[in-house]
Amino acid sequence: MPQSLIGLRKAELDTPVLCLDRQRFERNIRVMLETVHAGGKAWRPHAKGHKTPAIAWREIGEGAAGITCAKVGEAEVFAAAGIHNILIANVIAGERKAERLAALCRWSSPIICCDHYAQAEPIAASCRRLGVTCRVLVDINIGMNRTGIRPGTDALELGQAIDKLDGLELIGIMGYEGHLLKVADPGEKLRQIREAIGILELSRDSFQNSGLRCDIVSAGGTGSVAITSQCPAVTELQAGGGVFGDPMYVQQCGLEGVEPALTVLATVVSRPALDRAVLDAGRKTTNPDIQAPVVKDHPDAEVVSLSAEHCTLKLGPQSQELRIGDQVELIVGYADFTTPLHDEFYVFHGDRLEAIWPIWARGRLQ
């Protein structure tokens, strides 16, 4: 049996590794929960950015009502870990997925979303074959123009059609204001998000006035959590990325109150020039596409490029003392694109390794 790494200091570990600062992470959970609860809403944080049951259980332990997933495969992993209040906030199509979803309903209680009858009817048929019922939200387009049925008559008619299908149980609606997370002007962002959520409010009223259940109105991204949590019609928020305090949410979306908790520990492997250092952590370790990583504790060092295996830093005068073999931490810019590159979170209390959490839903793309 291999020896445990628990108790080692960061300097004793091989690199690169994905590191989670437990104290910051737990504070971020509380910030997100308090923000959502201040608006009288339930918190159903999205798990696509961590894919890890250990993290989901900590969110639930702090007061989350359940979790949100992006794929049936993710939901299967979290259900196997004992988490059953799961929203799959992504439309599902194809016979194989319908059969897997119905099988999942035999031992768990997922909620799905639909924006077309062609999704709902095959899922209902699979559920009937297994003698189960699956809960459903109608996915409504509130301006993002990705998935989501048109609000108004189309959404109402889909809700009515789903309500008549044996094997499905209509319980509400959802929408995502993701196109508004990065609106720069705070006043304009507030106005536009309220307007988008207002579409959900009108849809809720339409459903209820027609005798349809609308117990859940689900919305909310991390970059809009402070605003969406104050919108009266919303009952739950899916905002999940804030637990890592990603710089993307702070710098591009104006998220407040969180601290960066996720880093990649790397090693300086080359010093080809006084103002340049090369690390052993490239794009296979951290993805820079939406937000570049930030060099921790070296304010005048900057990430200038990432290739497959290497990260090149431009060094200012204060960081030019870095030597080959020194360790450097990179604050992950956007966890959703970096977590899937790793098998485990190395969880630290201060400088000591406290736990290793497997990223069990990594690669569960189906």
Side-chain angles (χ1 to χ4, degrees):
M1 180 177 178
Q3 290 187 348
S4 174
L5 300 176
I6 303 302
L8 293 183
R9 296 185 182 276
K10 285 182 180 177
E12 298 175 281
L13 294 174
D14 199 359
T15 62
V17 291
L18 186 64
C19 303
L20 182 63
D21 183 316
R22 183 178 65 81
Q23 292 166 296
R24 287 188 170 196
F25 162 69
E26 291 177 349
R27 285 196 295 267
N28 291 342
I29 288 179
R30 290 192 288 272
V31 168
M32 294 296 291
L33 187 69
E34 289 166 4
T35 300
V36 173
H37 281 184
K41 309 298 189 292
W43 188 38
R44 186 191 292 276
H46 216 304
K48 63 184 174 65
H50 61 74
K51 299 176 177 286
T52 302
I55 289 179
W57 272 119
R58 277 151 184 80
E59 293 170 332
I60 292 169
E62 289 289 339
I67 64 166
T68 304
C69 289
K71 298 294 182 73
V72 174
E74 290 178 352
E76 290 168 335
V77 169
F78 285 100
I83 298 169
H84 298 295
N85 191 356
I86 302 170
L87 168 63
I88 305 172
N90 194 357
V91 293
I92 296 168
E95 182 179 355
R96 184 74 190 99
K97 284 190 176 63
E99 293 295 332
R100 286 170 57 205
L101 177 64
L104 181 61
C105 289
R106 298 186 75 168
W107 56 281
S108 190
S109 54
I111 305 169
I112 64 167
C113 65
C114 294
D115 67 2
H116 200 287
Y117 190 77
Q119 301 150 358
E121 199 286 324
I123 293 171
S126 293
C127 287
R128 289 195 299 271
R129 281 193 292 273
L130 294 186
V132 298
T133 299
C134 186
R135 297 178 293 168
V136 183
L137 305 180
V138 172
D139 180 13
I140 298 174
N141 181 11
I142 60 173
M144 191 167 178
N145 297 329
R146 192 169 62 185
T147 62
I149 194 168
R150 286 182 298 182
T153 301
D154 288 355
L156 177 61
E157 289 181 349
L158 177 59
Q160 290 170 329
I162 290 173
D163 193 50
K164 295 175 182 177
L165 284 172
D166 291 336
L168 299 183
E169 179 185 13
L170 178 69
I171 61 170
I173 59 177
M174 65 164 278
Y176 181 40
E177 69 282 16
H179 57 300
L180 303 174
L181 305 188
K182 299 180 182 179
V183 175
D185 181 79
E188 188 62 18
K189 183 175 182 176
L190 175 65
R191 185 191 69 79
Q192 291 188 36
I193 289 176
R194 285 178 172 173
E195 184 177 296
I197 299 301
I199 297 171
L200 285 180
E201 183 171 3
L202 291 173
S203 299
R204 178 204 64 186
D205 294 345
S206 175
F207 274 44
Q208 292 177 339
N209 292 337
S210 299
L212 298 177
R213 279 184 64 186
C214 198
D215 303 339
I216 292 177
V217 178
S218 189
T222 297
S224 59
V225 63
I227 298 173
T228 306
S229 60
Q230 297 297 319
C231 294
V234 174
T235 65
E236 64 174 35
L237 278 87
Q238 301 172 18
V243 299
F244 292 141
D246 292 351
M248 190 280 286
Y249 289 117
V250 174
Q251 296 177 21
Q252 298 187 34
C253 304
L255 181 65
E256 297 180 346
V258 298
E259 304 171 274
L262 194 64
T263 60
V264 167
L265 182 67
T267 298
V268 177
V269 294
S270 180
R271 287 288 275 110
L274 180 64
D275 64 348
R276 189 163 78 251
V278 181
L279 310 180
D280 62 347
R283 284 179 172 265
K284 294 180 182 179
T285 304
T286 180
N287 186 298
D289 289 347
I290 290 183
Q291 179 79 36
V294 178
V295 184
K296 184 180 178 182
D297 298 329
H298 295 279
D300 67 342
E302 178 187 1
V303 174
V304 292
S305 67
L306 287 101
S307 53
E309 308 292 353
H310 300 103
C311 173
T312 301
L313 305 182
K314 180 179 180 181
L315 305 179
Q318 296 177 7
S319 54
Q320 289 176 359
E321 79 283 357
L322 284 172
R323 297 174 299 177
I324 291 174
D326 287 348
Q327 289 185 343
V328 174
E329 283 189 82
L330 300 174
I331 298 171
V332 173
Y334 183 52
D336 286 33
F337 286 2
T338 292
T339 296
L341 303 176
H342 296 264
D343 293 320
E344 299 157 328
F345 288 102
Y346 283 59
V347 185
F348 288 86
H349 184 274
D351 191 52
R352 292 282 186 182
L353 182 63
E354 186 176 76
I356 298 176
W357 293 342
I359 303 172
W360 290 120
R362 180 193 181 205
R364 299 302 295 262
L365 304 177
Q366 298 176 339

